[in-house]
Amino acid sequence: MNLAAATNESLAHTSNVLIYSSMAVYTLAFFAHIAEWVLGSRSKVGRTAAALSGSPAGGAAAAPVVVQAGGTAVLERPEVVTRATAGARDVPDGPGAAGGTFKGDLWGRIAVSLTVVAFAVEAGGVVTRALSVQRAPWANMYEFSITFSTVAVGSYLVLLALKKNVRWIGLPLVTTVLLDLGIATTTLYTDSDQLVPALHSYWLWIHVSTAIICGAVFYLGAVGTVLYLFRDSFENKLASGGTPGKFAASVMERLPSAASLDKFSYRVNAAVFPLWTFTIIAGAIWAGDAWGRYWGWDPKEVWSFITWVAYAAYLHARATAGWKGRKAAYLALVAFGCWLFNYYGVNIFVTGLHSYAGV
C-alpha cells in the first residue's frame, strides 16, 4: 500500500470516528433539551391559563378584578386569550424565551452549547470523508445523510445566531439527527470510493449541495408544521372550553403559539423554494452534459418535479382564501413526504440512472 492510499484510509477511519463521536455529543444534547423542556418556560397561553386556574404549575391564581355595579362588588376574571390576533406579530415564547425558569434556561444553553460542539465534530467527519476520496462528500446515501444532518443543524444554529427564538426546534432536531446518523452508520454505510465517470463534473458540487440545503430547510419547515398542527388542536380545545390532558398540556404549553409556528413554517418553505427550483434546473443541465438529454423521465427526475409541484401547491394555497391554516399545513407535509420518498424510496426501491451511487 502506497503512502497516498494509507493516508486516505487513515482519513476515512478518522471520519468514522468523528461521526460516532458527534452522535455521542448529540445524545448529551438530547438529554439537555429534555431537561429544558421539563424545567423550561410555558408559553403565554399556558402561563395565563395556569395562573387563572390557580394550578400549582402556574403559580398563584390571578387576582380577580373587582367591579362596582350599583353598590355591589362583582368579581370578574380576565379573559384567557388562546389565539393570536389576526395579523399580529406574535413572538415565539417556548423554550428559551423570557418568562422561563433559571434552571430551564440554563439547561437550554447547555443543550445549545453541546449541539454546537456536536455540529463541529460532525462537520469535521464530513470534511475528512471528502479528503479521504478527494471529492465532494455526497456521492452515495451515507455521505448524503451525514452531510444533510450537518447542514440541518447548521441552519438551526444560524437562526439562533441571527437572534431568532427557535430553540424549541432543538429537541426534535437533535432527535431526528440521531436517527439519521444511526441509519447512516448501520444501514447506509458505504466505504470511501471514487466516482463513476458520470459524476465527474463541477455540477456535482452545485446540484447536490443545493439539494442538501433545500432538504435541510424543508425539514425545519416540516418540524414547524407538525408542531403547528398539534398546537392548533390544543388552542382549539382551550378556546372551546375543553381541558387537555396533563401530559399534552405540559408539552403544548412549552411551544410557541400556533400562529407563530405556522408563520415560521411558511417563511422557511417560501425562502428555500426558489433554491429547489434552481436545484432541478441545475440537475437538468448536468443531465444534458452527462447523458446528452436534459429530461428523460428518470424516477429521480420525476419525483424531484413532483416535490416541486407539491411545494408550489402549498405556497399557492397559503395565498388563496380558505386554504390557509390546517389545510395548507397538510399540503406542506405531503410535499415534504414527496421529498423524503425522492431520497429514500427512489434511491432504495426504484432502479434508474441515479442508481449508480448504490446506498
Side-chain angles (χ1 to χ4, degrees):
M1 181 182 294
N2 58 37
L3 179 61
T7 301
N8 291 341
E9 184 176 341
S10 176
L11 286 171
H13 175 71
T14 301
S15 173
N16 295 339
V17 171
L18 289 174
I19 294 300
Y20 279 107
S21 299
S22 71
M23 293 175 67
V25 184
Y26 277 129
T27 301
L28 296 177
F30 169 80
F31 286 113
H33 278 298
I34 289 288
E36 179 189 19
W37 276 63
V38 171
L39 301 172
S41 65
R42 278 179 158 79
S43 67
K44 285 176 286 189
V45 171
R47 291 197 298 270
T48 303
L52 292 178
S53 64
S55 65
V65 178
V66 180
V67 180
Q68 295 292 335
T72 303
V74 179
L75 299 182
E76 293 185 355
R77 299 183 83 75
E79 179 185 0
V80 181
V81 180
T82 60
R83 311 289 295 189
T85 305
R89 294 181 60 84
D90 189 67
V91 180
D93 63 340
T101 65
F102 173 78
K103 286 185 178 180
D105 185 64
L106 174 62
W107 280 108
R109 286 185 280 114
I110 291 173
V112 172
S113 298
L114 288 170
T115 303
V116 171
V117 173
F119 165 77
V121 174
E122 186 184 10
V126 173
V127 171
T128 52
R129 175 78 176 196
L131 293 175
S132 70
V133 288
Q134 301 178 3
R135 58 166 171 76
W138 42 70
N140 51 61
M141 289 185 68
Y142 168 74
E143 294 174 353
F144 191 100
S145 294
I146 62 175
T147 307
F148 166 80
S149 57
T150 304
V151 174
V153 175
S155 302
Y156 164 68
L157 295 178
V158 167
L159 291 175
L160 288 177
L162 294 175
K163 307 298 182 183
K164 304 298 182 182
N165 190 8
V166 294
R167 212 155 78 190
W168 48 270
I169 300 178
L171 180 58
L173 173 64
V174 170
T175 303
T176 306
V177 166
L178 284 171
L179 291 173
D180 175 72
L181 292 178
I183 295 173
T185 54
T186 56
T187 304
L188 303 179
Y189 182 77
T190 304
D191 290 329
S192 298
D193 200 359
Q194 294 303 313
L195 299 174
V196 296
L199 290 179
H200 281 287
S201 170
Y202 59 87
W203 283 106
L204 173 66
W205 292 90
I206 300 173
H207 172 63
V208 184
S209 64
T210 55
I212 292 173
I213 293 172
C214 290
V217 178
F218 281 150
Y219 162 76
L220 295 181
V223 170
T225 301
V226 170
L227 295 180
Y228 157 74
L229 291 172
F230 282 110
R231 175 73 194 199
D232 185 63
S233 297
F234 173 75
E235 292 184 7
N236 281 331
K237 193 164 189 176
L238 287 179
S240 61
T243 304
K246 290 184 178 180
F247 178 77
S250 177
V251 174
M252 291 297 107
E253 287 174 357
R254 285 166 172 77
L255 288 174
S257 69
S260 295
L261 291 167
D262 184 45
K263 191 180 302 179
F264 169 82
S265 302
Y266 170 68
R267 287 177 175 175
V268 296
N269 285 327
V272 80
F273 180 73
L275 187 61
W276 182 248
T277 304
F278 171 77
T279 300
I280 296 176
I281 295 173
I285 296 174
W286 187 12
D289 289 343
W291 300 316
R293 92 288 185 279
Y294 295 104
W295 187 267
W297 298 102
D298 183 72
K300 179 70 70 172
E301 297 169 351
V302 171
W303 276 96
S304 295
F305 180 67
I306 290 175
T307 302
W308 184 91
V309 171
Y311 273 107
Y314 161 71
L315 296 175
H316 178 71
R318 284 295 305 246
T320 303
W323 271 90
K324 295 182 179 180
R326 298 184 70 87
K327 291 181 179 180
Y330 292 137
L331 277 178
L333 292 182
V334 168
F336 184 68
C338 291
W339 188 91
L340 282 179
F341 181 79
N342 187 32
Y343 174 52
Y344 286 104
V346 172
N347 284 9
I348 296 175
F349 303 112
V350 182
T351 301
L353 289 174
H354 288 77
S355 300
Y356 43 66
V359 298

